[in-house]
Amino acid sequence: MSNINWDTIGFDAYRTRTVILSRFQDGKWSPAEKTENFSFTLDPFAQVLHYAVACFEGLKAFTQKDGKIVIFRPDENAARMRRTADYLGMPAPDEDLFISMCEECVKNNLEFMPPYGHGASMYLRPILMGVHPQMQLTPNPDALFAVICAPAGAYYGSNMRSFSAVIPGDYDRAAPKGSGSYKLGANYAATFKPYKIAHDQGYQELLFLNSATREYVDEYGSSNFFGIKGNTYVTPLSDSVLPSITNKSLQQVAKDLGMEVEKRKIPVEELAEFDEAAACGTAVVITPMYRIDIKPVLGGEEIERSFTYGEPEKVGPVCTKLYKTLTGIQNGELPDTHGWCHEVR
Ligand code: PLP
Ligand code: COI
């Protein structure tokens, strides 16, 4: 097997062996196929290349303590992809095809599956794209669905360390009544330039406000926001943030741990009142922020306001407890009382 160092592996486009594919043509999905060819052949007029008619999902498979391999809540990702595809006017795989192709992807790339005990997992990327050659701005059902995977460790290089984020005064992520709550590739394309500027200034994350009024916290470029106030888990209610499966799970975990959960609008000034603030998502898991700055101009020097939570690199007690509980369920160390872990057989 591969000589991957599971303790230091980051989050990257690590090429495995097999891609699983299906094509929607003549009104139906073709039976899933396996290929070791990592190159797709597309017509240069394919919709995806011009009009970004594409969406994706991100979910993880874990090797549990007893050796079982499970995928975390794939039914939720299947449903979210259907919702995004509907927004794009595209066909989407049904839950059975989606989950079976995710399972096949894991089973056909087992030599890259991280073993239990290293904090690593297999990240699965189901991707759906419009491949019909056309110039007209009308939907066409001709689509390609593929599931690829990559062994993955910590998104920011190490787990359970705190980082810093910046609220950019001159960039928005999503338009009001726009595509913010869908997992479109195009939403991410718009964050590449502000990410570059933020990274150059030493911030790891971008935290976006609601673009209509810029009064409320929306989400990070990569993940949802949550804050901890006493015994309460607070997360934004907004129709322009991605409905995160990790966040949904953490809200349940928080309740199970006896915490209150509030999903509501979070005025920017309330950032001053949280004891802990974090990012959550499949890739970032729970990544606490020790500092969130507001910059009127992202590339400029001026910091309008700065909110701090604990010390750089340190992680607060509630984020630690939530992290241990969520990852404990995923790794099979704690009981899966909600039936979130789907066994790969
Ligand atoms: N928000 C954005 C913009 C994301 O890209 C992601 C990642 O998928 C999330 C939130 C978290 O969603 P999930 O927990 O389902 O991965
Ligand atoms: C995920 O968490 O699965 C995502 O798709 C976020 C991405 C920025 C890595």
Side-chain angles (χ1 to χ4, degrees), residues 241-261:
V241 308
L242 190 77
S244 156
I245 297 156
T246 312
N247 193 354
K248 185 176 176 182
S249 309
L250 286 173
Q251 290 171 49
Q252 184 61 54
V253 165
K255 284 182 195 157
D256 294 347
L257 291 170
M259 295 178 67
E260 299 295 317
V261 171

Side-chain angles (χ1 to χ4, degrees), residues 46-274:
Q47 289 172 316
V48 61
L49 298 175
H50 302 252
Y51 303 131
V53 185
C55 62
F56 67 98
E57 275 301 328
L59 64 169
K60 281 177 172 171
F62 298 85
T63 305
Q64 295 195 318
K65 198 173 173 189
D66 63 2
K68 255 193 252 162
I69 294 181
V70 302
I71 305 179
F72 190 69
R73 307 193 78 174
D75 52 329
E76 291 280 344
N77 295 87
R80 193 169 65 185
M81 179 167 262
R82 291 190 74 75
R83 183 174 167 272
T84 306
D86 181 59
Y87 179 82
L88 290 170
M90 296 179 79
D94 63 19
E95 183 180 306
D96 284 351
L97 182 63
F98 182 98
I99 296 180
S100 65
M101 284 177 62
C102 289
E103 287 181 327
E104 282 305 303
C105 191
V106 173
K107 287 196 269 190
N108 285 279
N109 290 293
L110 276 183
E111 71 265 47
F112 302 96
M113 180 73 210
Y116 168 77
H118 297 265
S121 56
M122 183 68 99
Y123 184 67
L124 295 162
R125 262 289 160 92
I127 51 181
L128 177 64
M129 64 192 105
V131 293
H132 190 254
Q134 70 178 69
M135 290 293 210
Q136 291 295 312
L137 297 176
T138 52
N140 183 287
D142 190 355
L144 180 68
F145 176 56
V147 182
I148 56 175
C149 66
Y155 184 72
Y156 300 102
S158 70
N159 277 321
M160 285 317 273
R161 235 174 83 199
S162 62
F163 293 96
S164 64
V166 57
I167 297 176
D170 50 349
Y171 287 92
D172 284 323
R173 174 178 175 273
K177 300 190 196 304
S179 62
S181 74
Y182 302 95
K183 208 161 167 62
L184 310 183
N187 285 342
Y188 298 82
T191 65
F192 274 43
K193 185 176 169 200
Y195 262 124
K196 164 90 177 83
I197 301 170
H199 290 159
D200 285 349
Q201 298 194 331
Y203 299 102
Q204 282 74 33
E205 261 306 334
L206 290 166
L207 180 57
F208 292 98
L209 303 182
N210 75 307
S211 57
T213 63
R214 310 198 110 256
E215 286 173 282
Y216 303 104
V217 175
D218 247 1
E219 68 171 330
Y220 301 96
S222 66
S223 45
N224 274 187
F225 172 91
F226 74 84
I228 303 295
K229 209 188 247 188
N231 193 38
T232 307
Y233 178 106
V234 190
T235 195
L237 177 67
S238 162
D239 53 15
S240 51
V241 308
L242 190 77
S244 156
I245 297 156
T246 312
N247 193 354
K248 185 176 176 182
S249 309
L250 286 173
Q251 290 171 49
Q252 184 61 54
V253 165
K255 284 182 195 157
D256 294 347
L257 291 170
M259 295 178 67
E260 299 295 317
V261 171
E262 292 178 7
K263 191 169 180 189
R264 57 167 171 81
K265 288 185 172 181
I266 301 180
V268 187
E269 315 81 66
E270 196 181 346
L271 287 174
E273 296 171 22
F274 293 117

